Amino acid sequence: MVETNGVIMQYFEWYCPADGSLWGQVQDQARELAAKGITALWLPPVYKGTSSSDVGYGTYDLFDLGEFDQKGTIRTKYGTKEELIAAVKASRAAGLQVYLDTVFNHKNGGDATETVWATPVASDNRNWELGAAREISIWSKFTFPGRGDRYSAMKWDARCFDSVNHNANDPDDRATYRLSPKTFESEMSHRYGDYDFLMACDLDTNHPEVRQELVHWGQWIQDTLGTDGFRLDAVKHIRSSFFNEWLDAVRRHCPHRKLFAVGEYWENDVEALHRYLAATEGRMSLFDVPLHYNFHQASRSGSAYDLRTILDRTLMQQQPTLAVTFVDNHNSQPLQALESPVEAWFKPLAYAIILLRREGYPCVFYGDYYGTEYTDRGRDGHQHTVSLSKHNWLLDKFLYARRRFGWGPQYDYFSGSNTIGWTRLGDATHPLSMAVVLSNGGPSSLWMETGQSNATFYDLTDHVKELVYTNEWGWGEFRCAGGSVSVWIQQA
């Protein structure tokens, strides 16, 4: 993906309207986005959740793409199956790849309860039992009455899960329960002792019927939609060897299509990401969560942040070919569970880093491109209204620069704590150069080599009006305003 200067757009944010309009919007916008330099769309979960407003992570029925009357709705939050198919076709016709958000960690919204034996465990140490096994009632029967046996005859029950976070006999019971005689799975994050359980009814991927059904769904969804890959949710809670088997099986089913996969391993620890990448043996990329947290910290610290360290201990720096880089997403936006937003003033600097450098496969967030406003309850228990600024004017310029000038050798100038820059020298097909300089302090400049002697450069962002002329050795002094970024491109 990096070699073709690909760019993903995460085409949703948490608070998109629950009116079934998103698939139509994808269909309408596909050609325009492709023309601007987006090459792939990451779509939200396309299947039925617990309601018509479910963002998609409360997975109920993987085989209901907005076709059956279940959970009080036929459509999903984003539209009907017919509208989804039209959106995918329009995207691929425009030259865009389509990646599906895929949630295999849990199921939610069971159709009936079962009585089971289960052992309560500590929420902060899942290996610590809080008492003996006891009888509880759980929402673990998934019979899909609206779909019946269409596409799959499997009905889910307690055998398919290893843990839950509810007891239907006692709504005030907030314990996490390990179902008897199950054990938590291994090969995942060791936070809280064993981070197998996350929420709802946690899938037991050691169960052969569960594995077989998930493989069947992966092959079925490719036959149904013909998409180009997957964004895999919450992979640190799921056995890495399961994904090795699953990806191999789905890719064998689609031998003429190179399916991309990126996992969400949300951990601000690059060593944990390296371990997971090693365990999956290059089958998937991972989101560069440590880079996001560097951006978050830099945006909160102002000029006190040393920009020379912005790439330190990130996948972009250490394993760029498997890094999907991002600034913010639906989880990090304000009022969400992993709230860690990058402040608006720093987002142009952060996007310049992921879009205009050669390392990584960048992802643009819908909420940053289009902007959004919403109200929700915060951690303090109060309602808050949030407005995310629209950055599409500047992001379009970055996308243009990436497509036309983001090629060839890259020279870095990370010499000052408040000012960094780099140049891209072009290649045989893209012979013009680009220079990028950014500052988290006052107005600044850098002398940088462009490989173009006696050439003229102008600031694509219009932040600096004067031209820059390189000398006979191809060096020039490139400036930017304080707390800003300038992208200098060579005049033809």
Side-chain angles (χ1 to χ4, degrees), residues 42 100-104 217 229-236 238 242-243 246-247 260-265 276 283-287:
W42 155 20
L100 299 179
D101 205 320
T102 304
V103 185
F104 284 166
W217 177 83
F230 303 92
R231 180 265 185 188
L232 303 171
D233 184 64
V235 298
K236 76 176 182 179
I238 304 170
F242 162 77
F243 278 120
W246 185 81
L247 286 168
F260 176 74
V262 55
E264 180 220 19
Y265 194 114
Y276 198 86
R283 289 176 174 85
M284 70 171 77
S285 298
L286 290 180
F287 287 105

Side-chain angles (χ1 to χ4, degrees), residues 52-70:
S52 62
S53 61
D54 193 309
V55 177
Y57 298 100
T59 307
Y60 169 67
D61 185 357
L62 291 170
F63 291 93
D64 184 354
L65 306 183
E67 181 179 6
F68 303 102
D69 190 356
Q70 299 188 111

Side-chain angles (χ1 to χ4, degrees), residues 35-301:
K36 289 180 175 181
I38 300 297
T39 62
L41 297 181
W42 155 20
L43 299 185
V46 298
Y47 36 76
K48 188 66 57 70
T50 57
S51 71
S52 62
S53 61
D54 193 309
V55 177
Y57 298 100
T59 307
Y60 169 67
D61 185 357
L62 291 170
F63 291 93
D64 184 354
L65 306 183
E67 181 179 6
F68 303 102
D69 190 356
Q70 299 188 111
K71 297 302 166 187
T73 178
I74 294 177
R75 67 166 176 85
T76 67
K77 176 178 179 178
Y78 309 108
T80 65
K81 179 181 180 180
E82 291 77 13
E83 291 164 340
L84 169 63
I85 291 172
V88 171
K89 285 182 177 178
S91 298
R92 302 198 82 241
L96 296 170
Q97 294 191 325
V98 177
Y99 306 148
L100 299 179
D101 205 320
T102 304
V103 185
F104 284 166
N105 180 74
H106 54 269
K107 293 183 81 68
N108 200 17
D111 299 303
T113 61
E114 295 179 272
T115 298
V116 299
W117 282 86
T119 302
V121 298
S123 60
D124 59 350
N125 184 354
R126 308 292 171 69
N127 296 322
W128 184 262
E129 297 180 358
L130 298 179
R134 63 199 64 174
E135 278 193 330
I136 63 172
S137 180
I138 61 173
W139 289 94
S140 52
K141 290 187 74 68
F142 291 79
T143 59
F144 314 117
R147 176 170 61 83
D149 293 342
R150 186 84 179 271
Y151 310 130
S152 169
M154 179 173 171
K155 311 304 178 190
W156 295 64
D157 58 33
R159 298 172 305 127
C160 303
F161 308 107
D162 58 28
S163 46
V164 299
N165 63 345
H166 65 277
N167 177 2
N169 292 332
D170 182 0
D172 295 325
D173 187 347
R174 297 288 186 255
T176 297
Y177 284 94
R178 187 185 69 243
L179 305 188
S180 300
K182 301 292 184 75
T183 60
F184 286 122
E185 299 178 40
S186 58
E187 302 176 37
M188 64 236 343
S189 171
H190 296 297
R191 180 177 287 193
Y192 307 135
D194 186 305
Y195 216 172
D196 178 9
F197 179 79
L198 176 64
M199 61 179 291
C201 294
D202 191 89
L203 270 60
D204 179 5
T205 62
N206 284 318
H207 195 291
E209 290 182 46
V210 170
R211 294 198 304 274
Q212 181 179 349
E213 183 74 346
L214 296 182
V215 167
H216 168 54
W217 177 83
Q219 296 172 345
W220 173 83
I221 200 72
Q222 284 302 313
D223 293 341
T224 302
L225 295 180
T227 51
D228 305 279
F230 303 92
R231 180 265 185 188
L232 303 171
D233 184 64
V235 298
K236 76 176 182 179
H237 306 281
I238 304 170
R239 288 188 300 115
S240 55
S241 58
F242 162 77
F243 278 120
N244 293 348
E245 298 163 7
W246 185 81
L247 286 168
D248 287 350
V250 176
R251 284 168 172 154
R252 282 195 302 269
H253 186 73
C254 307
H256 304 299
R257 193 180 306 144
K258 188 176 181 180
L259 295 180
F260 176 74
V262 55
E264 180 220 19
Y265 194 114
W266 195 274
E267 196 75 61
N268 187 15
D269 176 5
V270 74
E271 296 303 326
L273 304 190
H274 286 318
R275 288 192 293 271
Y276 198 86
L277 288 171
T280 50
E281 300 175 332
R283 289 176 174 85
M284 70 171 77
S285 298
L286 290 180
F287 287 105
D288 196 347
V289 175
L291 180 65
H292 159 74
Y293 278 106
N294 283 1
F295 291 155
H296 170 67
Q297 184 62 41
S299 76
R300 294 287 179 91
S301 302

Side-chain angles (χ1 to χ4, degrees), residues 18 33 116 360 390:
L33 291 172
V116 299
K390 179 168 63 174

